[in-house]
Structure formats: C-alpha cells, structure tokens
Amino acid sequence: MNKPTLPYDVEAIRADFPILQQAHHDDVPLVFLDNAASSQKPNLVIDGMTNYYRTSHANVHRGIYQLSEQATQLYEDARKKVRDFIHASSHREIIYTRGTTEGINLVAMTWGRKNLGVGDVVLSTAMAHHSNIVPWQILAEEKGFMLKFVPILDNGTLDMEAYRQLLEDNSVKLVTVVHSSNVLGTINPIKEMAHLAHEQGALILIDGAQSVPHMPVNVQDLDCDFFAFSGHKMLGPTGIGILYGKRDILDDMPPYMGGGDMIARVTLEGSTWNDLPYKFEAGTPSIAPAIGLGLAVDYLSSIGMDKIHQHEQIMTEYALDRLAEVAGLTVYGPPSTQKGAVAAFTINGAHAHDVAQVLDSYGIAVRAGHHCAMPLHQLLNVNATARASFYLYNTLEEIDMLAETLEKVKDKLIF
Amino acid sequence: MEDMYREMILDHAKNGHNWGLLENPDFDHAEDNPLCGDHLQLTLTIDADGIIRKVGWDGDGCAISQASASMLGDELVGMSMDEARKLDKQIVLDMIGIPLTINRVKCATLSLKTLIVGALGQKQWEKIEDEE
Ligand SMILES: Cc1ncc(COP(=O)(O)O)c(C=O)c1O
C-alpha cells in the first residue's frame, strides 16, 4: 500500500519520548497504541517536573518566602497556558481537578445538586464513558430526576433526530456528551448540540478527554457551559485535569469540597468562599502535575494542534484501510473522516483479551475490554473489543506492524 | 531583592493614616485576603457633590496591606467617588513602589479591592485584578 505523507517529522518527535526508545520484553521495540487510555510523556514534561521538585517546590498561595512565590507563579502560569490553549476568556474559568472524572463529578455534586430535581431530565448518550453515566445515576437516586440517553445510529454517530425530539419536552436541564468517543472515535457535532440545548434552556457539559489532546478546541466557539479533560492523555502527568466552566455559571455554583484555599473567611458560625477558581480548589493541589500540564501544553503548541490532528487523520485513514485487509476483523464506528484516532475492533473467533495478549508478545500495546463504556458494548452486542489508538508520535510503520501481527495472532488463536 | 520594608512602608504601616471607623459613613465595606487572613474595613463620608471627605480604616494585616490602606486613604480624601471608582491596581502598586511577587500583590491590593468591591461589586474587582 502506498504510504501517505505526514505533516511533520515523526522521528524527531519520537526522540523526545524516552519510553519509546526502550525495548519491550527486552528485545522487541515498543509499539505503543494505547494512547486513548493514557499518553506517554516527553522530556520537556519529565524534566520540567523533576526540575521543579529539585529547585522550586513549596506549597502555593500560602508562603511569602521565595520558594512559595516561585511555586505559586509556576502553578498559576500553567493555568494561563491552559486558558489560552482552549481559548477560555479568563483563567478564572480554569479549575484544576484530578481529571475528566473529577470534573464531571464536580459539576454533578455542585451545579447538579443545586439545580436538579423531580421532573428534570439529564440527557447523556449511549456512547458515554462510565464517568459520564455513573455520577448522574448516583445523583438521580438522591434528587429524583430522570437520566435519558441519546441513541446512536448504525454508523456509530449520534441520532440527532432523536436528540432534537428528546430536547423537545422542555424538561432537559443538562446535556452531557462526549466530544470524541474513546471507543467509536466518533467526533460529535458539539457546536450544533450546544445550540440546540441552549434553545431549550438546557446547559451542556462536554467530556473532552479524547478531543483536547488531539485537535484544536475553542470552548467559546463551541459555546459549551462546562468542558472537562485530563492531563495524562495529552502528554501531561496523572493527577491533574481541567474543568472549564462559564464564569457566570461557576459564580452561581456552591463549592465542591471544603477546606483550605477555597475560603475567604472562616468562623465557627460559618464561612464565605474564595473567588474563582479557588472556590473549587480545596486543599493543597497537585502542584507539580499542574506545572507538568502547562509544559505539555507548551509541547503540543510548539507542534501545533492543527498539524497533530492532520497527522492523526492520516493515521486513522491508513489504519482503517490496513485493518480492512485483515479477514474476519470488524472495526466499530464511523468512517475515518468523522473519527478520532481510535480503532476498536473484534476478530471472529478470537476474544479481544487474547488478541491483546498475543499482540503484547510482539511488543504491541493495545487495550482490550469495554473501555469504561459497557452500555455501548451492550449495544454493539460484543462483550469486549480490542482498541488501537494513535497519537502524535505513532508512525505508519507501526500500523503496518499491527496489521501484519494481527495475521499472526489469527494463526495462533483461530484453528 | 529590593527592601520590602523600606522606611516609608514601615512608617505607614505603624502609624497608619485615617485609622478608625467613621460614624454614620456613606460607604462601609469589608474584604478579606484569603491567602493570609488579612481583613480590612473601609468607611467613607461623601459630601453632596460626591467628594470623599473622610476616610476611616480598620482591620488587621501585614505591613504591605496596612501601608497600602494608609497611602490609598490619603489619596482618597478630596477625590470624587466617580474618580475613585475608576482607580486601577497600578495606583497601589506604584505607591508601594517595589516589585511584588504573586502572593504579595494580593496584600498590596486588598485596600483597593475593599473600595472597588464595595463600590462596584466583585465582578468589577476581578476585572481590575486580572489586568496583566
Ligand atoms: C471519553 C473519556 N471520558 C472520560 C475519561 C476518564 O478520564 P480520567 O480517567 O482521566 O478521569 C476517559 C478516559 O479514561 C475517556 O476516554
């Protein structure tokens, strides 16, 4: 198969990622294709965090000695980098969390607890990650609202006609939808969905775990009310994520956790809350991870999100073509033009776990299972899929290797 | 590092001008600095022409926040409320006159925050605070 041209020199990028240099099982090169679960880290992030611990660590927002001032400055600079990266209008709309999961839970526990009740509807989707189903189920139990789901069409896209109809009964208070599915890869029409939700007076929360790492995102242009994502899927460390929220909405929300840093004044009779974003950031935060996330943003920006997205679209198209050559293999989700860099597949006669295990023995890391989307797998009528997911440092040769190795996997597993 | 405790700052901090709350003020508002617990209350009397006649402060805080209150109060006496509403954070930073690190800026601007939040609300203050 002819190889398409990629928008940048992938080898130069790979050189920045020490983990990609190391052999797997001591002798085969590592082909890392589980980026949707978590990405690897460039030296800029690893060294930057180490350097922070070596030279600048102290608690933030407290000390007035030099180290604490340095740490606070670095920590707040990182917030502004994230603000610019997703085009928020103010750093006050950028709340540090532990990840996408915590961001969605924060909205449920504060905005949701205040604004949802009997007769209301929260509208999620059949392709939702568990983190965008379970918090709403827990809260629905407490508050008595209904949780409904927008169905998906056979081609793996959302049923927009059903979405319109579900919105029509006017009781929907919140639409909560994944920007880019971690299984199907579907990139949902968020801007249109936000517009339709707002027309009915509902707010919209976007799970951006799989979009921010892979494409340019402009939260103001999308006009979303909340937007959550994770640092570790975008070259940053674990333990840090972002919840974006429109300022007026955040202002009206009660705090999330209580403790230090989130208060203005505390007496034994009661307390008042700190300004945004600190109202939602109780306790000593993940300082080094926040700084690491800022460096990851620097790294991604230095390449350009447009180019990264272009790279991944070429990779996805190539991967779908190569996988189509493997007899008995089914890839789930829409065609490559509407899809993020994800290929979840099954092979007739072989369980996904066995496929992943054998691939691993050849140095190829993919994920197998339900990928925290059990309801979606129930719809697809499979109990597990194997999933290859690509990022800026993957090569076309790695996709060749995946396709070729899958033939060997079949030989081994299917008699 | 420049001397954060140069004489002028210490002088204003120790012998703050316009200290003590006014009776029957036309303006009365208090704010906190959540980072360190500093607390400032500002009272003003304003005449029929909208001119600030008297300033009265109360509260606890570090030398920087107390000095900034003392110096800002001096500026406010005789100023119209309309002018006072238009002040930006540069005025207090200039009065303190030394470069401040990120946490200390909050101390220096607490006095202005008390005035602006009391006069125009939290949102307007955040606008001023966020100017880069
Ligand atoms: C679409 C989607 N949403 C949410 C999450 C949860 O992210 P995290 O585990 O970082 O909170 C993930 C990743 O696992 C995801 O792929």
Side-chain angles (χ1 to χ4, degrees):
Chain A
M1 188 174 281
N2 272 343
K3 289 239 173 35
T5 317
L6 296 173
Y8 52 77
D9 177 7
V10 184
E11 288 311 320
I13 288 187
R14 292 179 71 81
D16 293 332
F17 289 78
I19 214 168
L20 300 179
Q21 319 303 320
Q22 83 189 0
H24 201 54
H25 300 306
D26 294 332
D27 51 0
V28 286
L30 169 65
V31 176
F32 187 76
L33 301 179
D34 192 20
N35 295 287
S38 198
S39 70
Q40 300 302 346
K41 322 300 171 198
N43 283 320
L44 184 74
V45 171
I46 300 167
D47 296 346
M49 287 175 69
T50 306
N51 192 41
Y52 163 76
Y53 276 127
R54 283 185 190 282
T55 65
S56 310
H57 174 70
N59 211 332
V60 291
H61 299 147
R62 291 170 169 82
I64 50 164
Y65 48 90
Q66 191 186 11
L67 279 180
S68 176
E69 294 284 5
Q70 267 174 16
T72 305
Q73 190 76 53
L74 289 165
Y75 178 76
E76 291 301 332
D77 285 350
R79 193 192 303 274
K80 290 179 178 167
K81 290 176 189 180
V82 173
R83 170 198 65 194
D84 295 345
F85 192 63
I86 62 167
H87 303 277
S89 63
S90 165
H91 70 279
R92 294 183 189 272
E93 300 177 321
I94 305 295
I95 300 162
Y96 285 129
T97 63
R98 208 157 50 80
T100 310
T101 303
E102 190 178 48
I104 297 171
N105 276 274
L106 190 161
V107 175
M109 291 307 152
T110 62
W111 182 88
R113 204 172 251 159
K114 179 172 174 187
N115 293 292
L116 295 172
V118 175
D120 294 334
V121 171
V122 168
L123 195 51
S124 185
T125 67
M127 64 173 81
H129 187 275
H130 294 166
S131 62
N132 212 356
I133 300 174
V134 184
W136 305 111
Q137 289 174 332
I138 293 172
L139 191 65
E141 189 105 333
E142 181 187 319
K143 308 293 286 186
F145 61 86
M146 284 252 292
L147 182 56
K148 293 186 183 174
F149 298 90
V150 183
I152 47 181
L153 301 171
D154 287 342
N155 68 3
T157 60
L158 283 178
D159 183 342
M160 288 296 283
E161 202 34 58
Y163 175 57
R164 280 194 186 83
Q165 279 167 16
L166 282 161
L167 279 175
E168 252 163 31
D169 79 359
N170 266 329
S171 43
V172 177
K173 287 280 157 61
L174 179 76
V175 174
T176 180
V177 59
V178 68
H179 197 170
S180 177
S181 158
N182 63 318
V183 179
L184 302 171
T186 318
I187 297 172
N188 288 313
I190 296 305
K191 197 170 168 174
E192 184 188 349
M193 293 182 79
H195 180 70
L196 292 168
H198 290 152
E199 270 187 348
Q200 300 298 325
L203 299 189
I204 189 163
L205 183 162
I206 310 302
D207 168 354
Q210 301 293 346
S211 63
V212 175
H214 301 285
M215 62 175 92
V217 166
N218 182 326
V219 290
Q220 292 188 77
D221 180 56
L222 294 172
D223 197 21
C224 51
D225 301 292
F226 300 106
F227 192 103
F229 57 102
S230 304
H232 69 95
K233 295 180 197 284
M234 52 186 289
L235 311 183
T238 54
I240 191 78
I242 299 292
L243 174 68
Y244 158 85
K246 281 184 188 163
R247 192 146 159 195
D248 290 348
I249 299 170
L250 294 176
D251 266 330
D252 282 343
M253 278 156 53
Y256 176 44
M257 292 193 280
D261 243 21
M262 53 74 73
I263 49 86
R265 190 174 183 79
V266 177
T267 66
L268 294 181
E269 286 69 45
S271 305
T272 55
W273 316 135
N274 201 342
D275 306 345
L276 291 177
Y278 310 109
K279 180 168 91 176
F280 297 106
E281 296 181 353
T284 299
S286 295
I287 305 167
I291 294 166
L293 174 58
L295 292 166
V297 163
D298 287 343
Y299 188 88
L300 291 169
S301 304
S302 73
I303 298 161
M305 292 311 294
D306 281 325
K307 278 200 180 151
I308 291 170
H309 188 50
Q310 205 187 337
H311 170 86
E312 293 184 5
Q313 282 186 310
I314 295 168
M315 296 284 291
T316 305
E317 190 181 346
Y318 186 74
L320 294 191
D321 287 348
R322 288 296 325 242
L323 292 176
E325 294 167 1
V326 180
L329 185 148
T330 308
V331 177
Y332 298 90
S336 59
T337 48
Q338 295 169 57
K339 196 172 165 82
V342 178
F345 59 91
T346 51
I347 294 178
N348 281 341
H351 191 278
H353 285 170
D354 300 319
V355 172
Q357 188 77 62
V358 179
L359 284 175
D360 174 68
S361 66
Y362 291 95
I364 300 175
V366 301
R367 183 165 170 193
H370 53 63
H371 320 294
C372 298
M374 285 177 81
L376 174 61
H377 283 74
Q378 287 151 11
L379 271 179
L380 298 175
N381 220 357
V382 290
N383 66 358
T385 54
R387 180 185 70 184
S389 52
F390 317 110
Y391 209 3
L392 74 170
Y393 41 60
N394 288 120
T395 63
L396 296 166
E397 289 69 28
E398 288 179 314
I399 290 172
D400 289 338
M401 198 136 37
L402 172 68
E404 285 153 21
T405 311
L406 281 170
E407 294 294 349
K408 295 184 200 161
V409 169
K410 278 168 47 185
D411 290 344
K412 210 169 237 174
L413 292 176
I414 305 166
F415 306 101
Chain B
M1 183 180 201
E2 282 187 64
D3 187 8
M4 221 178 243
Y5 297 96
R6 62 203 181 99
E7 219 162 302
M8 192 184 67
I9 294 176
L10 283 179
D11 193 48
H12 271 284
K14 280 189 193 141
N15 310 300
H17 302 176
N18 305 305
W19 220 252
L21 296 179
L22 305 173
E23 304 225 339
N24 303 318
D26 301 299
F27 174 103
D28 184 354
H29 187 75
E31 281 293 322
D32 300 288
N33 176 0
L35 300 186
C36 55
D38 285 4
H39 178 77
L40 267 184
Q41 184 171 356
L42 171 63
T43 49
L44 301 174
T45 52
I46 302 163
D47 71 15
D49 298 327
I51 307 294
I52 298 170
R53 285 300 160 203
K54 280 190 190 154
V55 172
W57 292 105
D58 192 30
D60 295 307
C62 64
I64 300 288
S65 76
Q66 302 275 294
S68 116
S70 174
M71 291 190 256
L72 178 65
D74 285 348
E75 291 289 320
L76 290 178
V77 177
M79 189 184 277
S80 74
M81 226 15 223
D82 283 345
E83 268 179 278
R85 284 192 196 93
K86 290 189 200 123
L87 293 176
D88 62 22
K89 69 181 173 186
Q90 202 54 45
I91 182 170
V92 278
L93 297 181
D94 287 347
M95 288 183 313
I96 295 294
I98 49 167
L100 293 172
T101 45
I102 185 166
N103 289 336
R104 279 334 272 281
V105 166
K106 301 256 184 193
C107 307
T109 55
L110 180 59
S111 58
L112 184 68
K113 177 180 182 181
T114 308
L115 171 70
I116 298 294
V117 176
L120 298 166
Q122 173 71 20
K123 286 222 165 102
Q124 183 57 29
W125 168 247
E126 288 180 5
K127 232 183 235 163
I128 292 172
E129 185 174 35
D130 293 351
E131 271 164 14
E132 278 168 33

